[in-house]
Amino acid sequence: MAALFTGKVLMANQERDEVETERELGRALENKVLLLYFASGQCPRCRQFSPLLRDFFLRLTDEFYVERASQLVLVYVSRDETEEQQSAFLRTMPKRWLALPFGDAFKRELELRFAVSEVPAVVVLKPNGEVIVGNAVEEIRRVGPACFRNWQEAAELVDRNFLLAEDFDDWTRRSITEPIRRLKYKLDKKTEAKNKERKAEGEESA
């Protein structure tokens, strides 16, 4: 996947660091499903979808939600009118996101290569650059984080030991108490497992 960005510069979100060497790009993109997010912070449809994508990404990469981060990387390809607008938008998004620098001519090349005519658009790619989904916006809206499992299977990633920390079937239902309920669920599960072990040990000794 790093070959797609050979000779290009990617920016690490909310930092001034540039991910530009072949080795750095390889480390950031190798053996991962890549999302190219074409959007603008000023576009009404993008303003509606971007919070969903932020949630989607965090639930797959933030250790609060998963046992370990998934093999997923996102590159923001901006259609913002100014660099200030792009920076303001990225400040509201996850720090793990990468971004094409504002005004980079490579943006147009990517739009043509992946036939992006409107935003928002999320192009899903295998590590070798092949397209898994031309525009996954509706799939992400409809299925949520569970759709990553399909992409992971299609991408044939080397490590398949990804494990979600919760069931996302009801992903659209959220409340401020959800993290507390999830923590309680995890603790209850651990307690239940320990009780089963003790019961089994008691039966063996009897």
Side-chain angles (χ1 to χ4, degrees):
M1 182 57 68
L4 180 63
F5 294 98
T6 298
K8 310 299 179 184
V9 172
L10 292 177
M11 304 297 297
N13 189 22
Q14 299 187 6
E15 299 175 3
R16 288 298 177 187
D17 294 341
E18 295 181 349
V19 183
E20 60 182 339
T21 69
E22 184 175 346
R23 182 178 179 182
E24 288 174 325
L25 282 171
R27 191 163 57 243
L29 303 176
E30 185 181 9
N31 195 40
K32 292 185 175 79
V33 171
L34 172 65
L35 307 183
L36 297 179
Y37 182 40
F38 297 84
S40 164
Q42 308 304 306
C43 159
R45 292 191 304 272
C46 298
R47 285 202 299 267
Q48 290 179 348
F49 176 71
S50 292
L52 286 178
L53 184 61
R54 178 185 59 214
D55 239 13
F56 172 90
F57 187 85
L58 286 174
R59 286 169 178 266
L60 288 165
T61 59
D62 193 294
E63 12 179 88
F64 181 79
Y65 296 102
V66 292
E67 298 296 334
R68 64 184 178 85
S70 66
Q71 294 160 275
L72 180 70
V73 64
L74 184 147
V75 176
Y76 177 61
V77 185
S78 167
R79 279 198 177 180
D80 296 295
E81 295 180 359
T82 67
E83 187 171 3
E84 289 72 23
Q85 288 178 356
Q86 175 174 320
S87 298
F89 170 75
L90 286 172
R91 279 195 295 272
T92 68
M93 294 296 121
K95 290 184 178 181
R96 289 178 185 241
W97 281 20
L98 300 174
L100 207 61
F102 180 79
D104 194 318
F106 188 50
K107 176 191 79 169
R108 184 58 181 159
E109 186 177 329
L110 290 173
E111 289 175 339
L112 292 173
R113 177 169 180 168
F114 299 109
V116 176
S117 58
E118 60 181 14
V119 293
V122 178
V123 180
V124 184
L125 302 175
K126 295 181 181 182
N128 63 7
E130 292 180 12
V131 176
I132 298 175
V133 183
N135 189 352
V137 168
E138 290 306 317
E139 185 178 0
I140 291 171
R141 278 186 177 135
R142 187 179 67 255
V143 183
C147 64
F148 175 75
R149 292 176 177 176
N150 297 329
W151 303 345
Q152 187 183 35
E153 190 70 23
E156 299 178 340
L157 302 181
V158 173
D159 187 354
R160 296 176 182 272
N161 293 322
F162 178 81
L163 178 64
L164 292 178
E166 68 177 88
D167 186 356
F168 292 116
D169 289 344
D170 202 18
W171 112 286
T172 55
R173 294 178 57 191
R174 301 185 182 88
S175 75
I176 196 167
T177 60
E178 182 182 349
I180 298 173
R181 293 201 309 272
R182 180 164 50 253
L183 179 59
K184 183 177 184 301
Y185 173 79
K186 287 183 178 180
L187 291 174
D188 288 346
K189 283 293 185 182
K190 288 181 180 179
T191 303
E192 182 182 340
K194 287 182 179 179
N195 288 338
K196 286 182 179 180
E197 288 178 5
R198 288 172 183 167
K199 184 177 179 181
E201 289 174 358
E203 290 176 352
E204 289 177 0
S205 60

